[in-house]
Amino acid sequence: MNQHIQTYMRGLASTLLLCTIAAWGQNVTIHGTVTDTERKPIEFASVHVEGATLVGTRTNLKGEYTLTCTSADSLTMVFRMLGYETRKRTLKHPVDTVVVNITLPQASIALEGVEVREVRQQAGTMTDINLNEMRHLGNASGGGVEQIVATQAGVSSHNELSNQYNVRGGSFDENSVYLNGIEMYRPLLIRSGQQEGLSVINPDMVERVQFSAGGFEAKYGDKMASVLDIQYKRPTRLEASASASMLGAAGYVGYGTGGKFSMMHALRYKTTKNLLGTTDTHGEYDPRDFDYQTYLSWSPTSRWTIDLLGNVANNDYDFTPADRETKFGTSEDAHDFRVYFDGWERDRFHTLFGAATVTHHFNKSNDLGLTFSAFKTHESETYDIQGEYWLDSEDYAIGTYKEHARNRLNATVTSVGIGGRSRWTGHELRYGLLLKHEKIDETMREWEMRDSAGYSLPHNPPRLDLIYNLSSAQEISSTRFEAYVQDQWSKMYDEGELVMSYGIRLARWSYNKETIVSPRATVAFIPARMDQLLLRFSTGLYYQAPFYKELKDTTLVNGNAIVTLNPNIKSQRSIHFLFGADYKFRIDDRPFMATAEAYYKALNNLNPYNVDNVRLSYYGQNIATGYAVGLDLKVYGEFVPRTSSWMSIGLMQTKEKIHGKSVPRPTDQLLNFNIMFTDYFPGTERWKVTLKGHYASGLPFGPPHTGREKQVFRMRSYKRVDLGISYRPFADVGAGGERQWWRDSWIGVDVFNILGVNNVNSYYWVTDITNNQYAVPNYLTGRQLNVRFTVNY
């Protein structure tokens, strides 16, 4: 207590002394330029006299500032900008006019081999994600960026074969992904992780990754859970990379002339054949995933920029099952489930995407761009699989089942949009308009026959019924209109810096004639006396605008599924309340940042859904309300010098009320823990170890083709640890002292699921003639070794 009083008295004395000097001293004018490490001007940087934050100003669009204050024996100038390191300059007996030019390094994790000095604070809810360690660990799903996203606070994943993730109680469909400002789509018919193929994001082409787990800005579209914003790079010289592993191969080449023109081309091939061989179901797996991406940027003059983006992806999955044996249960109630198969599965997911953007730069603070984009997907899922099974239950369930599907979907989404940005002192205004046309046609024909001990199920002596039957043909053509405007404003006060981001979003869909308005706002404050602390509050009205899957109202009557499209479906709605804090600190002169965020989401107009592996089947009606509440914590920094590691933990509960009955939502989980840790071998930095771990408590589940009210069971918790060891065989310089272009080459070995945990993502339900049901777990992949090689030029 006495120490706090002494500190307060010293601060008061300093302030009184400064006031006395100001009363008797003479004025001095200080001016100069604030730039970054590339000598580019930093706009709107704060410049003030230490101890008197009211005596301050901000830099203009050229990074220039002018400040007039009262001279003293010693004046300390403070230069700061969110996202950059703070710098101070002390002036002794300044008089008349003084020129002070300053350089602010960016406060972020630097590139490999460069000393890391700071971690970056951000006033908004979007956080930068560091991808430096990603290349030192293989990825079972073939994504890359998503595997790092899945380790962030508030994010959970329960399937290593899938690129999908849940954020704070939201479904897969509630996450939006933007690439160069354009919202991306993924195939719609995918049922399981092994069908997914490659992620739309190529990590070799990425320059910047930003992610928000809630409370995001108005410029991002109508999703309720999260935003992943990817920006592809513009190379300034020749660069290339190649990699190969037991899971596939990739090649990349980029070239740029330093501002006028740049281009990137990348190829990827993925196969999870060896990985799928570790599951309980044996057979001939033949997954083949390929994509080609390109990004070209041309600036014919300083006022114009033309960007072209393209992607071609073919994801094919062929499977001929042979047999399966699954052991499950407890030591006191152990079971053995065996199946002998006959049949095949053939799935095709072929997509095309293209975009063109023309941007006019009126000046350094005003831009206006016009964007055209198109997405097309052709998907088919076909299988005829018969299985004869035996389960050592009390009644020895023996039977046969046959599954049949002929599902096809074609979708085309085209859009044209205009977006702009304007900046002036203390403000950054962004706005946009988008017109989008969607055309989707789908034909589904699937059925399942099940026989138990010679009796068909459901057992109805006068007739032969299928346990499940669906036949549907649907087509939809609609138009969406979207618009937004948002502003970011900041101002220095004597108590600290206040940053506000506020905006509003409007959307209308022609199919259901619905218009939605979504206001959003974030307020951040950095105390002057503790600038390593940032406090943040976000709130807003977020909608989940329905897409094709949400329209499908599927009614099951005696095993027969009737599908209709509901023209009266409305957008699901979520009101976000988030309070967070970021705190920067140092241990042994190494930078760290701890973050905490508490949130509450009030949900209504919910459209309940069932989960089958990674496929979501909606009720097609707004019949539920609910909530999500939780706390996310994360520590990030240099646990080992010159590396970046982090760990996050989340506590959450989410429920919904359907027809008056409260049930957990399909994503309800109490605890989620993620870790990403990097280290070097002792005495050398040419050996590197990367560890990634997940723990997520079990999700609700229940019998298939039933309502959410019967999802009363809990899966076992998801536990997985992947380990990667990488070695750089070549030194930076050769025997003659020259730098070797192949120096950044790595040989690596990965051990996936090193603990050998039998994780479960879904269940196969066995029903005997007495209508007893047994949930047989579908185990995910087991322990698997992967060898990889990477060379970067």
Side-chain angles (χ1 to χ4, degrees), residues 14-83:
S14 299
T15 304
L16 293 174
L17 178 61
L18 185 62
C19 292
T20 304
I21 293 174
W24 296 99
Q26 64 182 39
N27 288 341
V28 59
T29 299
I30 307 170
H31 67 92
T33 304
V34 180
T35 58
D36 60 17
T37 52
E38 297 181 354
R39 309 307 300 171
K40 295 180 180 179
I42 298 178
E43 307 162 0
F44 312 135
S46 168
V47 182
H48 69 271
V49 177
E50 188 173 49
T53 52
L54 288 179
V55 183
T57 186
R58 285 189 176 274
T59 58
N60 61 19
L61 299 178
K62 298 179 180 180
E64 300 170 340
Y65 73 93
T66 299
L67 176 66
T68 300
C69 62
T70 303
S71 183
D73 289 339
S74 176
L75 284 181
T76 299
M77 306 295 298
V78 180
F79 302 84
R80 62 188 310 272
M81 178 65 180
L82 205 63

Side-chain angles (χ1 to χ4, degrees), residues 188-199:
L188 300 174
L189 276 184
I190 286 177
R191 184 191 303 268
S192 62
Q194 47 265 50
Q195 296 175 331
E196 272 196 18
L198 289 160
S199 162

Side-chain angles (χ1 to χ4, degrees), residues 299-545:
S299 298
T301 69
S302 60
R303 294 294 181 93
W304 292 94
T305 301
I306 301 173
D307 296 313
L308 300 176
L309 182 64
N311 180 15
V312 179
N314 289 341
N315 299 325
D316 299 337
Y317 177 74
D318 294 345
F319 177 44
T320 303
D323 60 78
R324 165 182 175 173
E325 181 176 7
T326 301
K327 297 181 183 296
F328 65 101
T330 65
S331 58
E332 297 179 354
D333 186 25
H335 294 287
D336 188 5
F337 178 67
R338 298 181 186 181
V339 186
Y340 300 94
F341 293 104
D342 183 24
W344 49 267
E345 180 176 355
R346 306 285 185 271
D347 302 326
R348 301 291 182 264
F349 305 95
H350 297 172
T351 61
L352 296 171
F353 171 77
T357 301
V358 180
T359 305
H360 181 64
H361 311 280
F362 297 95
N363 48 50
K364 290 185 177 181
S365 57
N366 291 279
D367 302 327
L368 189 64
L370 181 65
T371 299
F372 301 89
S373 69
F375 168 81
K376 185 175 182 62
T377 179
H378 174 70
E379 307 171 24
S380 64
E381 181 188 40
T382 60
Y383 56 79
D384 279 295
I385 296 177
Q386 178 173 310
E388 296 182 353
Y389 65 84
W390 173 83
L391 174 65
D392 64 342
S393 66
E394 188 173 312
D395 297 322
Y396 283 93
I398 300 174
T400 301
Y401 71 88
K402 184 172 184 179
E403 296 176 339
H404 166 94
R406 296 294 186 272
N407 300 329
R408 291 174 175 81
L409 183 144
N410 295 291
T412 302
V413 181
T414 56
S415 66
V416 56
I418 186 170
R421 180 196 62 168
S422 296
R423 293 183 291 177
W424 63 97
T425 304
H427 292 267
E428 180 172 352
L429 182 71
R430 292 182 180 269
Y431 51 90
L433 300 172
L434 182 68
L435 188 63
K436 188 184 302 182
H437 180 71
E438 303 161 353
K439 184 176 181 180
I440 302 171
D441 65 85
E442 178 191 48
T443 302
M444 297 190 70
R445 182 73 178 95
E446 57 185 41
W447 52 261
E448 179 181 354
M449 179 275 293
R450 192 173 299 177
D451 179 282
S452 178
Y455 294 91
S456 63
L457 298 177
H459 184 51
N460 188 356
R463 50 185 291 176
L464 180 65
D465 289 329
L466 297 172
I467 196 170
Y468 172 69
N469 176 45
L470 183 148
S471 180
S472 169
Q474 307 291 341
E475 184 174 351
I476 181 175
S477 179
S478 61
T479 302
R480 298 180 193 263
F481 171 77
E482 302 174 8
Y484 79 90
V485 59
Q486 70 177 47
D487 179 37
Q488 180 169 306
W489 169 83
S490 59
K491 184 176 178 60
M492 286 295 302
Y493 293 93
D494 192 41
E495 296 79 10
E497 183 176 7
L498 182 67
V499 181
M500 294 184 63
S501 177
Y502 47 92
I504 191 168
R505 183 175 187 86
L506 181 143
R508 180 172 176 82
W509 192 24
S510 63
Y511 185 78
N512 63 357
K513 309 287 191 299
E514 180 188 31
T515 301
I516 54 178
V517 179
S518 174
R520 308 172 186 178
T522 297
V523 180
F525 181 71
I526 305 173
R529 294 184 179 275
M530 190 183 292
D531 60 2
Q532 68 270 32
L533 176 67
L534 184 145
L535 303 175
R536 179 177 53 250
F537 174 76
S538 298
T539 187
L541 183 58
Y542 293 83
Y543 287 92
Q544 179 77 16

